[in-house]
Amino acid sequence: MTNDYKERYNELMQILKEDQNIDIQLCCAAGSRAYGTADESSDYDFTVVRANTPEEILTDKKTKPTHHIIGDIDIKIYPFNNFIELLLKQNPNLLEIFGLRPEDFFYISDEMKQILINKALFLSKKAASSYKGYAMSCYQHAMMAYVNKKARTDAAHWRKKAAKSMFECLRIYEQGTQLFKTGEIKTCINDSEVAYTLSKAKSGDIL
């Protein structure tokens, strides 16, 4: 993990301390820097899991994740009960936490350590349909953006969106394939067999 990422983490902790009264259970890298595909323009993405508030616990209140962008820091904050629910639904964006490298974690509570140690309990065959559905959704978004690229004057914007969605489609397909071949999730894909294809997809060269 780069020193820049650690600096952004310190900034993030200060932001959360000042603006959000939350009990952090997990903070880890996400996005292109976790995938090993970041470039100079890439944001610093973080996944944060927070403890549920007393109100959420006592009333069984369902709270959705929140998304914040502050400069080049991109944060998604998941309430603990929502985090567990999405893991059990085999959500690829959260299952990838189980495939992060040790250096991709910035903070892990004792409770979250138990979840990471017992990650196999959260993996099931339902992941097949979840990964396939996510990949096909990304593929459809890529095709829609590509059509817009041809029809609109802001073609470069839509080409970039199409490339991003196609990259996500191929990345999640590769991750799901590896999960079912090996039983393990590998989030960083810059040294995988399809790394070259993924880099071409991200640049828009194989649309």
Side-chain angles (χ1 to χ4, degrees):
M1 187 58 61
T2 65
N3 289 331
D4 285 345
Y5 221 144
K6 292 178 181 177
E7 289 177 9
R8 295 304 191 283
Y9 167 70
N10 292 331
E11 291 178 30
L12 171 61
M13 289 301 100
Q14 191 62 36
I15 291 167
L16 294 179
K17 183 178 179 181
E18 292 176 357
D19 298 340
Q20 313 240 354
N21 184 24
I22 62 175
D23 179 7
I24 295 174
Q25 299 293 302
L26 175 74
C27 182
C28 59
S32 60
R33 296 183 188 275
Y35 308 147
T37 60
D39 54 36
E40 293 181 358
S41 64
S42 298
D43 291 338
Y44 291 83
D45 297 281
F46 293 90
T47 294
V48 172
V49 179
R50 64 166 176 82
N52 289 112
T53 64
E55 178 189 6
E56 290 168 342
I57 295 170
L58 293 171
T59 64
D60 195 27
K61 182 180 179 181
K62 304 296 183 185
T63 309
K64 294 182 178 181
T66 56
H67 186 198
H68 310 270
I69 298 176
I70 305 167
D72 61 357
I73 298 175
D74 192 322
I75 322 144
K76 280 191 176 179
I77 304 176
Y78 294 85
F80 182 79
N81 60 351
N82 178 256
F83 171 71
I84 296 297
E85 179 184 4
L86 292 173
L87 282 181
L88 293 174
K89 288 182 177 179
Q90 309 297 285
N91 182 292
N93 286 327
L94 288 182
L95 286 182
E96 70 182 27
I97 288 174
F98 294 144
L100 291 174
R101 300 160 295 186
E103 62 266 29
D104 292 326
F105 291 97
F106 297 98
Y107 176 76
I108 312 172
S109 70
D110 290 340
E111 292 80 6
M112 288 299 303
K113 285 178 184 176
Q114 292 303 309
I115 290 175
L116 295 174
I117 290 170
N118 295 287
K119 61 185 179 181
L121 296 175
F122 293 90
L123 300 174
S124 77
K125 291 181 179 179
K126 288 190 289 186
S129 59
S130 177
Y131 274 82
K132 180 180 178 181
Y134 189 91
M136 290 307 298
S137 175
C138 291
Y139 175 77
Q140 290 164 2
H141 287 152
M143 293 303 98
M144 290 170 62
Y146 188 68
V147 169
N148 277 329
K149 178 193 83 70
K150 290 184 175 181
R152 296 176 60 130
T153 55
D154 51 347
H157 167 76
W158 287 98
R159 181 178 181 83
K160 185 176 180 181
K161 286 180 72 70
K164 182 177 181 180
S165 292
M166 184 57 76
F167 167 79
E168 277 297 294
C169 170
L170 296 176
R171 181 191 68 78
I172 208 69
Y173 190 87
E174 167 67 6
Q175 191 181 90
T177 300
Q178 290 303 313
L179 171 59
F180 278 85
K181 280 184 176 180
T182 68
E184 296 286 338
I185 294 173
K186 186 178 181 182
T187 303
C188 184
I189 44 80
N190 65 351
D191 60 348
S192 72
E193 293 180 1
V194 296
Y196 177 75
T197 302
L198 287 167
S199 69
K200 300 294 281 184
K202 187 175 182 180
S203 65
D205 290 341
I206 62 171
L207 284 177

mmCIF file of all heavy atoms in Angstrom, residues 104-140:
data_model
loop_
_atom_site.group_PDB
_atom_site.id
_atom_site.type_symbol
_atom_site.label_atom_id
_atom_site.label_comp_id
_atom_site.label_asym_id
_atom_site.label_seq_id
_atom_site.Cartn_x
_atom_site.Cartn_y
_atom_site.Cartn_z
ATOM 1 N N ASP A 104 -4.038 -4.121 2.165
ATOM 2 C CA ASP A 104 -5.221 -3.369 1.744
ATOM 3 C C ASP A 104 -6.151 -3.034 2.913
ATOM 4 O O ASP A 104 -7.118 -2.292 2.736
ATOM 5 C CB ASP A 104 -6.014 -4.161 0.692
ATOM 6 C CG ASP A 104 -5.264 -4.284 -0.616
ATOM 7 O OD1 ASP A 104 -4.543 -3.333 -0.962
ATOM 8 O OD2 ASP A 104 -5.390 -5.326 -1.272
ATOM 9 N N PHE A 105 -5.866 -3.574 4.087
ATOM 10 C CA PHE A 105 -6.688 -3.286 5.265
ATOM 11 C C PHE A 105 -6.033 -2.194 6.104
ATOM 12 O O PHE A 105 -4.841 -2.271 6.415
ATOM 13 C CB PHE A 105 -6.868 -4.552 6.118
ATOM 14 C CG PHE A 105 -7.716 -5.604 5.462
ATOM 15 C CD1 PHE A 105 -7.127 -6.653 4.770
ATOM 16 C CD2 PHE A 105 -9.098 -5.544 5.529
ATOM 17 C CE1 PHE A 105 -7.905 -7.625 4.162
ATOM 18 C CE2 PHE A 105 -9.876 -6.512 4.912
ATOM 19 C CZ PHE A 105 -9.285 -7.550 4.228
ATOM 20 N N PHE A 106 -6.833 -1.201 6.485
ATOM 21 C CA PHE A 106 -6.335 -0.107 7.309
ATOM 22 C C PHE A 106 -6.762 -0.262 8.770
ATOM 23 O O PHE A 106 -6.034 0.125 9.676
ATOM 24 C CB PHE A 106 -6.843 1.230 6.764
ATOM 25 C CG PHE A 106 -6.348 1.530 5.383
ATOM 26 C CD1 PHE A 106 -7.134 1.269 4.271
ATOM 27 C CD2 PHE A 106 -5.086 2.066 5.184
ATOM 28 C CE1 PHE A 106 -6.675 1.539 2.994
ATOM 29 C CE2 PHE A 106 -4.612 2.339 3.909
ATOM 30 C CZ PHE A 106 -5.413 2.072 2.817
ATOM 31 N N TYR A 107 -7.947 -0.802 8.976
ATOM 32 C CA TYR A 107 -8.418 -1.035 10.350
ATOM 33 C C TYR A 107 -9.382 -2.218 10.349
ATOM 34 O O TYR A 107 -10.265 -2.306 9.482
ATOM 35 C CB TYR A 107 -9.137 0.198 10.917
ATOM 36 C CG TYR A 107 -9.699 -0.073 12.296
ATOM 37 C CD1 TYR A 107 -8.864 -0.113 13.409
ATOM 38 C CD2 TYR A 107 -11.062 -0.342 12.475
ATOM 39 C CE1 TYR A 107 -9.377 -0.399 14.671
ATOM 40 C CE2 TYR A 107 -11.567 -0.623 13.732
ATOM 41 C CZ TYR A 107 -10.712 -0.651 14.826
ATOM 42 O OH TYR A 107 -11.202 -0.947 16.059
ATOM 43 N N ILE A 108 -9.210 -3.123 11.313
ATOM 44 C CA ILE A 108 -10.108 -4.269 11.484
ATOM 45 C C ILE A 108 -10.388 -4.426 12.972
ATOM 46 O O ILE A 108 -9.456 -4.619 13.760
ATOM 47 C CB ILE A 108 -9.486 -5.584 10.952
ATOM 48 C CG1 ILE A 108 -8.887 -5.407 9.557
ATOM 49 C CG2 ILE A 108 -10.531 -6.700 10.938
ATOM 50 C CD1 ILE A 108 -8.103 -6.620 9.065
ATOM 51 N N SER A 109 -11.648 -4.348 13.366
ATOM 52 C CA SER A 109 -12.010 -4.570 14.764
ATOM 53 C C SER A 109 -11.893 -6.061 15.092
ATOM 54 O O SER A 109 -11.812 -6.911 14.192
ATOM 55 C CB SER A 109 -13.431 -4.088 15.042
ATOM 56 O OG SER A 109 -14.366 -4.941 14.401
ATOM 57 N N ASP A 110 -11.907 -6.380 16.368
ATOM 58 C CA ASP A 110 -11.833 -7.791 16.773
ATOM 59 C C ASP A 110 -13.017 -8.586 16.225
ATOM 60 O O ASP A 110 -12.870 -9.745 15.824
ATOM 61 C CB ASP A 110 -11.802 -7.896 18.304
ATOM 62 C CG ASP A 110 -10.478 -7.399 18.882
ATOM 63 O OD1 ASP A 110 -9.487 -7.349 18.125
ATOM 64 O OD2 ASP A 110 -10.452 -7.049 20.072
ATOM 65 N N GLU A 111 -14.201 -7.958 16.196
ATOM 66 C CA GLU A 111 -15.395 -8.633 15.668
ATOM 67 C C GLU A 111 -15.244 -8.924 14.178
ATOM 68 O O GLU A 111 -15.581 -10.006 13.695
ATOM 69 C CB GLU A 111 -16.646 -7.776 15.911
ATOM 70 C CG GLU A 111 -17.051 -7.620 17.362
ATOM 71 C CD GLU A 111 -16.232 -6.577 18.100
ATOM 72 O OE1 GLU A 111 -15.422 -5.882 17.446
ATOM 73 O OE2 GLU A 111 -16.403 -6.454 19.324
ATOM 74 N N MET A 112 -14.704 -7.941 13.444
ATOM 75 C CA MET A 112 -14.540 -8.136 12.006
ATOM 76 C C MET A 112 -13.444 -9.158 11.701
ATOM 77 O O MET A 112 -13.509 -9.853 10.695
ATOM 78 C CB MET A 112 -14.211 -6.805 11.329
ATOM 79 C CG MET A 112 -15.385 -5.834 11.268
ATOM 80 S SD MET A 112 -16.809 -6.472 10.340
ATOM 81 C CE MET A 112 -16.062 -6.816 8.767
ATOM 82 N N LYS A 113 -12.461 -9.259 12.584
ATOM 83 C CA LYS A 113 -11.416 -10.272 12.381
ATOM 84 C C LYS A 113 -12.024 -11.670 12.355
ATOM 85 O O LYS A 113 -11.613 -12.524 11.572
ATOM 86 C CB LYS A 113 -10.367 -10.174 13.486
ATOM 87 C CG LYS A 113 -9.418 -8.999 13.339
ATOM 88 C CD LYS A 113 -8.432 -8.937 14.507
ATOM 89 C CE LYS A 113 -7.544 -7.704 14.393
ATOM 90 N NZ LYS A 113 -6.638 -7.577 15.558
ATOM 91 N N GLN A 114 -13.025 -11.894 13.197
ATOM 92 C CA GLN A 114 -13.675 -13.202 13.240
ATOM 93 C C GLN A 114 -14.409 -13.501 11.933
ATOM 94 O O GLN A 114 -14.439 -14.639 11.455
ATOM 95 C CB GLN A 114 -14.630 -13.279 14.425
ATOM 96 C CG GLN A 114 -13.948 -13.271 15.772
ATOM 97 C CD GLN A 114 -12.934 -14.406 15.891
ATOM 98 O OE1 GLN A 114 -13.246 -15.564 15.614
ATOM 99 N NE2 GLN A 114 -11.716 -14.069 16.289
ATOM 100 N N ILE A 115 -15.010 -12.481 11.356
ATOM 101 C CA ILE A 115 -15.697 -12.662 10.072
ATOM 102 C C ILE A 115 -14.694 -12.990 8.973
ATOM 103 O O ILE A 115 -14.914 -13.888 8.150
ATOM 104 C CB ILE A 115 -16.510 -11.402 9.718
ATOM 105 C CG1 ILE A 115 -17.700 -11.275 10.676
ATOM 106 C CG2 ILE A 115 -16.992 -11.444 8.264
ATOM 107 C CD1 ILE A 115 -18.505 -10.017 10.503
ATOM 108 N N LEU A 116 -13.569 -12.290 8.953
ATOM 109 C CA LEU A 116 -12.555 -12.541 7.929
ATOM 110 C C LEU A 116 -11.920 -13.918 8.098
ATOM 111 O O LEU A 116 -11.644 -14.604 7.115
ATOM 112 C CB LEU A 116 -11.488 -11.449 7.980
ATOM 113 C CG LEU A 116 -11.961 -10.033 7.623
ATOM 114 C CD1 LEU A 116 -10.854 -9.017 7.857
ATOM 115 C CD2 LEU A 116 -12.449 -9.962 6.190
ATOM 116 N N ILE A 117 -11.710 -14.328 9.344
ATOM 117 C CA ILE A 117 -11.148 -15.658 9.603
ATOM 118 C C ILE A 117 -12.102 -16.753 9.128
ATOM 119 O O ILE A 117 -11.677 -17.779 8.577
ATOM 120 C CB ILE A 117 -10.836 -15.826 11.106
ATOM 121 C CG1 ILE A 117 -9.657 -14.941 11.505
ATOM 122 C CG2 ILE A 117 -10.546 -17.288 11.447
ATOM 123 C CD1 ILE A 117 -9.419 -14.858 12.996
ATOM 124 N N ASN A 118 -13.391 -16.527 9.311
ATOM 125 C CA ASN A 118 -14.409 -17.520 8.956
ATOM 126 C C ASN A 118 -15.114 -17.183 7.651
ATOM 127 O O ASN A 118 -16.300 -17.476 7.478
ATOM 128 C CB ASN A 118 -15.433 -17.627 10.093
ATOM 129 C CG ASN A 118 -14.817 -18.171 11.368
ATOM 130 O OD1 ASN A 118 -14.521 -19.346 11.464
ATOM 131 N ND2 ASN A 118 -14.613 -17.299 12.352
ATOM 132 N N LYS A 119 -14.377 -16.608 6.701
ATOM 133 C CA LYS A 119 -14.977 -16.153 5.450
ATOM 134 C C LYS A 119 -15.656 -17.276 4.672
ATOM 135 O O LYS A 119 -16.628 -17.036 3.943
ATOM 136 C CB LYS A 119 -13.930 -15.475 4.575
ATOM 137 C CG LYS A 119 -12.776 -16.373 4.179
ATOM 138 C CD LYS A 119 -11.722 -15.592 3.404
ATOM 139 C CE LYS A 119 -10.545 -16.480 3.011
ATOM 140 N NZ LYS A 119 -9.507 -15.706 2.285
ATOM 141 N N ALA A 120 -15.169 -18.495 4.817
ATOM 142 C CA ALA A 120 -15.760 -19.618 4.074
ATOM 143 C C ALA A 120 -17.232 -19.815 4.419
ATOM 144 O O ALA A 120 -18.008 -20.311 3.592
ATOM 145 C CB ALA A 120 -14.984 -20.896 4.356
ATOM 146 N N LEU A 121 -17.635 -19.396 5.614
ATOM 147 C CA LEU A 121 -19.036 -19.537 6.023
ATOM 148 C C LEU A 121 -19.959 -18.645 5.207
ATOM 149 O O LEU A 121 -21.164 -18.887 5.146
ATOM 150 C CB LEU A 121 -19.189 -19.206 7.516
ATOM 151 C CG LEU A 121 -18.459 -20.125 8.497
ATOM 152 C CD1 LEU A 121 -18.605 -19.592 9.916
ATOM 153 C CD2 LEU A 121 -19.005 -21.547 8.393
ATOM 154 N N PHE A 122 -19.403 -17.624 4.590
ATOM 155 C CA PHE A 122 -20.220 -16.668 3.838
ATOM 156 C C PHE A 122 -20.248 -16.955 2.343
ATOM 157 O O PHE A 122 -20.910 -16.254 1.587
ATOM 158 C CB PHE A 122 -19.698 -15.241 4.077
ATOM 159 C CG PHE A 122 -19.887 -14.747 5.472
ATOM 160 C CD1 PHE A 122 -18.921 -14.954 6.435
ATOM 161 C CD2 PHE A 122 -21.055 -14.091 5.835
ATOM 162 C CE1 PHE A 122 -19.096 -14.505 7.735
ATOM 163 C CE2 PHE A 122 -21.247 -13.642 7.119
ATOM 164 C CZ PHE A 122 -20.265 -13.844 8.077
ATOM 165 N N LEU A 123 -19.540 -17.974 1.904
ATOM 166 C CA LEU A 123 -19.503 -18.304 0.478
ATOM 167 C C LEU A 123 -20.451 -19.466 0.193
ATOM 168 O O LEU A 123 -20.443 -20.467 0.900
ATOM 169 C CB LEU A 123 -18.087 -18.681 0.055
ATOM 170 C CG LEU A 123 -17.018 -17.594 0.250
ATOM 171 C CD1 LEU A 123 -15.640 -18.147 -0.083
ATOM 172 C CD2 LEU A 123 -17.333 -16.373 -0.607
ATOM 173 N N SER A 124 -21.265 -19.328 -0.833
ATOM 174 C CA SER A 124 -22.190 -20.398 -1.196
ATOM 175 C C SER A 124 -22.334 -20.455 -2.713
ATOM 176 O O SER A 124 -21.865 -19.575 -3.440
ATOM 177 C CB SER A 124 -23.555 -20.167 -0.552
ATOM 178 O OG SER A 124 -24.279 -19.167 -1.231
ATOM 179 N N LYS A 125 -23.027 -21.485 -3.174
ATOM 180 C CA LYS A 125 -23.232 -21.650 -4.620
ATOM 181 C C LYS A 125 -24.119 -20.553 -5.198
ATOM 182 O O LYS A 125 -24.164 -20.371 -6.417
ATOM 183 C CB LYS A 125 -23.840 -23.021 -4.899
ATOM 184 C CG LYS A 125 -22.868 -24.168 -4.628
ATOM 185 C CD LYS A 125 -23.493 -25.515 -4.949
ATOM 186 C CE LYS A 125 -22.505 -26.651 -4.685
ATOM 187 N NZ LYS A 125 -23.104 -27.982 -4.979
ATOM 188 N N LYS A 126 -24.809 -19.818 -4.329
ATOM 189 C CA LYS A 126 -25.626 -18.696 -4.810
ATOM 190 C C LYS A 126 -24.752 -17.626 -5.461
ATOM 191 O O LYS A 126 -25.255 -16.785 -6.204
ATOM 192 C CB LYS A 126 -26.424 -18.094 -3.656
ATOM 193 C CG LYS A 126 -27.564 -18.957 -3.168
ATOM 194 C CD LYS A 126 -28.474 -18.225 -2.201
ATOM 195 C CE LYS A 126 -27.819 -17.983 -0.872
ATOM 196 N NZ LYS A 126 -28.745 -17.393 0.123
ATOM 197 N N ALA A 127 -23.455 -17.675 -5.192
ATOM 198 C CA ALA A 127 -22.551 -16.697 -5.794
ATOM 199 C C ALA A 127 -22.550 -16.807 -7.320
ATOM 200 O O ALA A 127 -22.292 -15.831 -8.016
ATOM 201 C CB ALA A 127 -21.137 -16.887 -5.253
ATOM 202 N N ALA A 128 -22.842 -17.999 -7.853
ATOM 203 C CA ALA A 128 -22.834 -18.183 -9.318
ATOM 204 C C ALA A 128 -23.815 -17.228 -9.988
ATOM 205 O O ALA A 128 -23.460 -16.512 -10.927
ATOM 206 C CB ALA A 128 -23.175 -19.633 -9.656
ATOM 207 N N SER A 129 -25.063 -17.216 -9.514
ATOM 208 C CA SER A 129 -26.060 -16.337 -10.123
ATOM 209 C C SER A 129 -25.779 -14.873 -9.803
ATOM 210 O O SER A 129 -26.037 -13.984 -10.616
ATOM 211 C CB SER A 129 -27.467 -16.722 -9.652
ATOM 212 O OG SER A 129 -27.560 -16.632 -8.236
ATOM 213 N N SER A 130 -25.220 -14.613 -8.612
ATOM 214 C CA SER A 130 -24.913 -13.238 -8.222
ATOM 215 C C SER A 130 -23.826 -12.642 -9.109
ATOM 216 O O SER A 130 -23.963 -11.526 -9.635
ATOM 217 C CB SER A 130 -24.480 -13.203 -6.755
ATOM 218 O OG SER A 130 -24.122 -11.899 -6.368
ATOM 219 N N TYR A 131 -22.752 -13.385 -9.308
ATOM 220 C CA TYR A 131 -21.657 -12.899 -10.159
ATOM 221 C C TYR A 131 -22.106 -12.774 -11.615
ATOM 222 O O TYR A 131 -21.779 -11.801 -12.297
ATOM 223 C CB TYR A 131 -20.448 -13.830 -10.050
ATOM 224 C CG TYR A 131 -19.538 -13.501 -8.903
ATOM 225 C CD1 TYR A 131 -19.817 -13.939 -7.615
ATOM 226 C CD2 TYR A 131 -18.391 -12.743 -9.091
ATOM 227 C CE1 TYR A 131 -18.986 -13.635 -6.548
ATOM 228 C CE2 TYR A 131 -17.548 -12.428 -8.033
ATOM 229 C CZ TYR A 131 -17.847 -12.874 -6.768
ATOM 230 O OH TYR A 131 -17.020 -12.565 -5.715
ATOM 231 N N LYS A 132 -22.856 -13.765 -12.071
ATOM 232 C CA LYS A 132 -23.329 -13.722 -13.457
ATOM 233 C C LYS A 132 -24.254 -12.526 -13.673
ATOM 234 O O LYS A 132 -24.131 -11.804 -14.666
ATOM 235 C CB LYS A 132 -24.067 -15.013 -13.810
ATOM 236 C CG LYS A 132 -24.588 -15.040 -15.241
ATOM 237 C CD LYS A 132 -25.310 -16.350 -15.531
ATOM 238 C CE LYS A 132 -25.868 -16.350 -16.953
ATOM 239 N NZ LYS A 132 -26.590 -17.614 -17.261
ATOM 240 N N GLY A 133 -25.171 -12.309 -12.717
ATOM 241 C CA GLY A 133 -26.105 -11.188 -12.836
ATOM 242 C C GLY A 133 -25.384 -9.853 -12.840
ATOM 243 O O GLY A 133 -25.720 -8.960 -13.624
ATOM 244 N N TYR A 134 -24.382 -9.718 -11.975
ATOM 245 C CA TYR A 134 -23.625 -8.473 -11.909
ATOM 246 C C TYR A 134 -22.852 -8.244 -13.204
ATOM 247 O O TYR A 134 -22.829 -7.132 -13.756
ATOM 248 C CB TYR A 134 -22.673 -8.518 -10.719
ATOM 249 C CG TYR A 134 -21.976 -7.210 -10.420
ATOM 250 C CD1 TYR A 134 -22.517 -6.290 -9.532
ATOM 251 C CD2 TYR A 134 -20.767 -6.888 -11.027
ATOM 252 C CE1 TYR A 134 -21.878 -5.095 -9.258
ATOM 253 C CE2 TYR A 134 -20.123 -5.698 -10.765
ATOM 254 C CZ TYR A 134 -20.677 -4.805 -9.872
ATOM 255 O OH TYR A 134 -20.043 -3.617 -9.626
ATOM 256 N N ALA A 135 -22.201 -9.297 -13.717
ATOM 257 C CA ALA A 135 -21.425 -9.178 -14.950
ATOM 258 C C ALA A 135 -22.316 -8.795 -16.125
ATOM 259 O O ALA A 135 -21.969 -7.924 -16.930
ATOM 260 C CB ALA A 135 -20.698 -10.488 -15.248
ATOM 261 N N MET A 136 -23.494 -9.428 -16.227
ATOM 262 C CA MET A 136 -24.406 -9.124 -17.340
ATOM 263 C C MET A 136 -24.960 -7.711 -17.228
ATOM 264 O O MET A 136 -25.175 -7.033 -18.228
ATOM 265 C CB MET A 136 -25.536 -10.147 -17.373
ATOM 266 C CG MET A 136 -25.096 -11.542 -17.792
ATOM 267 S SD MET A 136 -24.173 -11.551 -19.362
ATOM 268 C CE MET A 136 -25.421 -10.909 -20.489
ATOM 269 N N SER A 137 -25.197 -7.254 -15.999
ATOM 270 C CA SER A 137 -25.662 -5.881 -15.810
ATOM 271 C C SER A 137 -24.612 -4.890 -16.295
ATOM 272 O O SER A 137 -24.931 -3.905 -16.979
ATOM 273 C CB SER A 137 -25.974 -5.643 -14.330
ATOM 274 O OG SER A 137 -26.313 -4.294 -14.099
ATOM 275 N N CYS A 138 -23.340 -5.149 -15.968
ATOM 276 C CA CYS A 138 -22.253 -4.290 -16.431
ATOM 277 C C CYS A 138 -22.142 -4.323 -17.956
ATOM 278 O O CYS A 138 -21.902 -3.300 -18.603
ATOM 279 C CB CYS A 138 -20.936 -4.722 -15.796
ATOM 280 S SG CYS A 138 -20.821 -4.418 -14.025
ATOM 281 N N TYR A 139 -22.326 -5.512 -18.534
ATOM 282 C CA TYR A 139 -22.269 -5.653 -19.993
ATOM 283 C C TYR A 139 -23.364 -4.814 -20.660
ATOM 284 O O TYR A 139 -23.116 -4.109 -21.640
ATOM 285 C CB TYR A 139 -22.426 -7.120 -20.369
ATOM 286 C CG TYR A 139 -22.512 -7.377 -21.855
ATOM 287 C CD1 TYR A 139 -21.365 -7.346 -22.643
ATOM 288 C CD2 TYR A 139 -23.741 -7.628 -22.469
ATOM 289 C CE1 TYR A 139 -21.442 -7.565 -24.018
ATOM 290 C CE2 TYR A 139 -23.811 -7.847 -23.831
ATOM 291 C CZ TYR A 139 -22.674 -7.820 -24.611
ATOM 292 O OH TYR A 139 -22.745 -8.024 -25.960
ATOM 293 N N GLN A 140 -24.578 -4.884 -20.120
ATOM 294 C CA GLN A 140 -25.690 -4.105 -20.674
ATOM 295 C C GLN A 140 -25.438 -2.606 -20.566
ATOM 296 O O GLN A 140 -25.728 -1.846 -21.495
ATOM 297 C CB GLN A 140 -26.981 -4.499 -19.972
ATOM 298 C CG GLN A 140 -27.461 -5.908 -20.333
ATOM 299 C CD GLN A 140 -28.500 -6.442 -19.385
ATOM 300 O OE1 GLN A 140 -28.926 -5.759 -18.449
ATOM 301 N NE2 GLN A 140 -28.911 -7.684 -19.596
#
